[in-house]
Amino acid sequence: MTESWSSSGLDVHLDWEPSTGRGGLAAAIRAAIREGRWQAGAAVPSTRSLAHDLGIARGTVTRVYADLAAEGYLRTAQGAPTRVATAGSLPQSAPRQAPRDPAPRWDLRPGRPDLTAFPRQAWITATRRALLRTPAAAFGYESELGAPELRDTLAGYLARARGVVADPERIVVCHGYSHAIAVVSRALSSLGVGETAFENPSLEMYRSIAAAQGQRVVGVPVDEHGLDVSALDSPAVVVTPAHQYPTGVTLAPHRRAQLARSGAFVLEDDYDGEFRFDHQQVGALQALAPERVVYAGTASKTLAPALRLAWLVLPRTLVEPVRAAMADSGSRPAVLNQLALAELIDSGAYDQHVRRSRAEYRSRRARLLAALPDSVRPQGIAAGLHLLLMLPPDGPSEATAMAACRRRALGIEGLTGYWMDTNRPGGLIVGYAATPKHAFAGATQTLIEALWEITA
């Protein structure tokens, strides 16, 4: 059956004044084509719809189209839409700049999951279910705390999987962990807390975010037992107790208890708590002091950073200050992503994906350790997505090791940039999750070649 175009309607902009009549309309369409606003091959509005939009007779538009077709500006065909026949001069943009940090051929950068393992089909199914089950009202301007469906689901999941004392009314869904640390820092400032301690070493980016919200940032040393709680003298502290980033150690039990009793507000960043590879499970610190510890989790390591989904479980005294900070920030994750994640968890597909990923990352870590030369010292527990390699004290510098990796197009990070002071030991932070499964053997071999070069 021939498709009718008599009722087609396309919104177009024409610089036309009705007083200029048929000639002015033709000139306006020529200008739109010459300037590239009507592009070659694109359909133009039907004569009926354009006449209706402009408030003129259809015959006028028909004659204008016929004239422009004769001039070569338009192309007409029986039973098909009229199209632009010639290309105008498109606006010229500045040449696209090459990325400052192009993706390496071999990717062993830390803090990244294997994006090729993202459970696409399960996510599609969860999204479809969310769209079918969710009332239209849920797609309006949601609460600052996040979608109620996801907060309810997270309360059950976090209690079951991480031992968190969770209540949906004390859960806030954030636009990624960077957003989470910003709103917590702002909330603490509103309560008169002006100093936040960070582990030394730790990610400089998060320290900068806290400082931008008015917090004075200080460092607390980390040793083989985790944060040195006896050196903590700040009213708030950000910690990674289950798997310290980047050293990979776990906060010792006696220090966990000491920190829970310290009286400080604690932001517990449980960034990869789902990935413990031995049988010594470490639950959330938050369970020891729910009214002083803010628990922070994220989907960036289990699923993908691009989802921009993180969550906070708050002490009662911080719920309203954080709600206000969320309102001021104006940033919230997409509601549909929140609803899809809730469906993914409720269906059991999230747990299945985490367990598959855990098995894969455990295998990768073991293969990497088996291939390392004896001259480098791996540090940290069997967990997470990264491994810290300490270089021999009398051997090559971190800069030398990084240069050897760059020559081989190997993406990796050095330890030096994580310290808050100088004259600290260097090392390599190896992320064994980022590279696709089929490329892991090649990435590992490339790293070993670089290490042999500098330690031989």
Side-chain angles (χ1 to χ4, degrees):
M1 183 178 71
T2 303
E3 186 172 3
S4 172
W5 295 92
S6 61
S7 61
S8 66
L10 300 170
D11 285 339
V12 295
H13 172 73
L14 291 171
D15 293 322
W16 175 68
E17 292 291 337
S19 60
T20 62
R22 173 179 154 191
L25 178 58
I29 295 176
R30 288 190 200 97
I33 294 173
R34 288 169 180 164
E35 295 168 6
R37 291 183 282 116
W38 288 23
Q39 297 183 17
V44 302
S46 69
T47 55
R48 185 187 302 275
S49 65
L50 186 59
H52 177 272
D53 290 346
L54 297 180
I56 59 177
R58 182 183 179 188
T60 301
V61 179
T62 301
R63 289 192 293 273
V64 168
Y65 277 13
D67 292 342
L68 294 176
E71 296 173 15
Y73 284 96
L74 298 179
R75 181 176 70 250
T76 60
Q78 185 65 33
T82 300
R83 295 185 180 276
V84 178
T86 184
S89 56
L90 292 174
Q92 296 298 309
S93 301
R96 180 175 296 178
Q97 295 182 348
R100 181 176 300 177
D101 297 312
R105 179 184 179 187
W106 306 108
D107 195 354
L108 291 178
R109 292 173 294 179
R112 295 166 169 83
D114 180 359
L115 298 179
T116 65
F118 182 83
R120 293 175 185 244
Q121 188 56 54
W123 187 260
I124 290 171
T125 300
T127 301
R128 184 183 297 114
R129 286 176 178 165
L131 287 171
L132 291 174
R133 297 177 182 179
T134 304
F139 297 104
Y141 293 102
E142 76 278 14
S143 163
E144 290 89 0
L145 299 182
E149 295 87 348
L150 179 56
R151 288 157 49 210
D152 288 342
T153 294
L154 285 173
Y157 170 76
L158 295 174
R160 167 175 58 83
R162 300 296 299 131
V164 175
V165 178
D167 174 355
E169 297 305 314
R170 295 165 63 172
I171 294 177
V172 176
V173 184
C174 299
H175 196 222
Y177 179 68
S178 295
H179 181 222
I181 199 169
V183 297
V184 170
S185 297
R186 182 177 298 185
L188 290 174
S189 294
S190 72
L191 296 178
V193 176
E195 179 179 286
T196 297
F198 280 77
E199 297 165 319
N200 186 22
S202 59
L203 265 170
E204 191 277 335
M205 176 178 69
Y206 297 143
R207 303 195 300 260
S208 297
I209 290 173
Q213 301 302 319
Q215 292 293 312
R216 190 172 79 89
V217 172
V218 300
V220 178
V222 169
D223 57 25
E224 67 273 18
H225 302 297
L227 182 83
D228 183 359
V229 181
S230 65
L232 175 64
D233 191 29
S234 300
V237 60
V238 178
V239 294
T240 49
H243 188 218
Q244 202 279 329
Y245 192 81
T247 66
V249 301
T250 296
L251 187 64
H254 69 281
R255 290 189 177 178
R256 288 166 61 90
Q258 186 181 3
L259 182 57
R261 296 193 304 265
S262 68
F265 279 113
V266 179
L267 175 56
E268 176 184 12
D269 179 7
D270 194 32
Y271 66 99
D272 64 0
E274 291 88 350
F275 298 120
R276 184 74 187 248
F277 305 142
D278 55 25
H279 299 293
Q280 301 178 21
Q281 295 189 6
V282 177
L285 173 70
Q286 185 262 5
L288 298 180
E291 296 305 327
R292 300 303 294 179
V293 179
V294 178
Y295 176 89
T298 175
S300 65
K301 306 299 185 293
T302 53
L303 292 171
L307 294 178
R308 308 305 301 151
L309 285 172
W311 42 87
L312 298 169
V313 182
L314 300 166
R316 280 190 291 265
T317 55
L318 285 181
V319 172
E320 287 307 317
V322 168
R323 185 200 297 267
M326 289 284 291
D328 290 343
S329 75
S331 180
R332 299 183 185 87
V335 171
L336 186 54
N337 281 352
Q338 296 184 54
L339 298 175
L341 179 59
E343 287 284 349
L344 197 72
I345 296 173
D346 288 340
S347 70
Y350 183 79
D351 283 83
Q352 293 172 13
H353 172 71
V354 168
R355 294 176 73 86
R356 284 194 301 268
S357 300
R358 185 186 298 135
E360 173 64 20
Y361 298 155
R362 179 193 292 117
S363 173
R364 293 189 187 193
R365 186 178 188 274
R367 290 157 60 190
L368 176 61
L369 287 173
L372 290 174
D374 294 337
S375 54
V376 298
R377 295 175 291 115
Q379 183 170 318
I381 62 170
L385 312 184
H386 77 279
L387 187 67
L388 176 60
L389 303 180
M390 301 302 294
L391 300 171
D394 55 350
S397 67
E398 179 187 298
T400 300
M402 292 292 291
C405 292
R406 282 192 295 268
R407 285 195 295 272
R408 292 168 170 80
L410 177 65
I412 204 166
E413 285 189 10
L415 176 61
T416 301
Y418 288 78
W419 294 108
M420 300 175 69
D421 44 15
T422 57
N423 299 320
R424 291 288 193 161
L428 297 177
I429 308 173
V430 184
Y432 44 78
T435 191
K437 185 175 182 178
H438 70 271
F440 181 70
T444 300
Q445 181 59 35
T446 303
L447 172 63
I448 301 308
E449 291 174 0
L451 293 175
W452 276 114
E453 174 192 323
I454 64 172
T455 59

